[in-house]
Amino acid sequence: MSVSPPAANVFLGATQQFSAAVSNTTNTGVTWSVSGTGCTGAQCGTIDANGLYTAPKILPSPPTVTIHATSQANASRSGTATATLT
């Protein structure tokens, strides 16, 4: 599975669209999540069911979060992207 774009620069409070390509299954749905070493929960920003990431309004430290896409057909298949917040 791959996530596009693999890396993005996102301004605080702005949005970035991510997409996931799932192969070898008829169920191409994914579950999105976001995490970071310098933030928890909404402090990392939010991502909706369609892959639209909304950056937080306060800069975490470090200012980098990881976007996760997990296959709904097979939870062991996943992909990630990195968002650098500015």
Side-chain angles (χ1 to χ4, degrees), residues 40-70:
T40 58
Q43 295 172 336
C44 296
T46 59
I47 192 160
D48 70 14
N50 298 311
L52 183 64
Y53 172 70
T54 302
K57 295 186 191 286
I58 298 172
L59 193 65
S61 180
T64 304
V65 297
T66 303
I67 306 299
H68 306 269
T70 304

Side-chain angles (χ1 to χ4, degrees), residues 15-61:
T15 60
Q16 171 69 46
Q17 182 67 56
F18 288 92
S19 62
V22 182
S23 58
N24 300 323
T25 181
T26 56
N27 180 357
T28 58
V30 298
T31 301
W32 294 97
S33 62
V34 59
S35 66
T37 58
C39 56
T40 58
Q43 295 172 336
C44 296
T46 59
I47 192 160
D48 70 14
N50 298 311
L52 183 64
Y53 172 70
T54 302
K57 295 186 191 286
I58 298 172
L59 193 65
S61 180

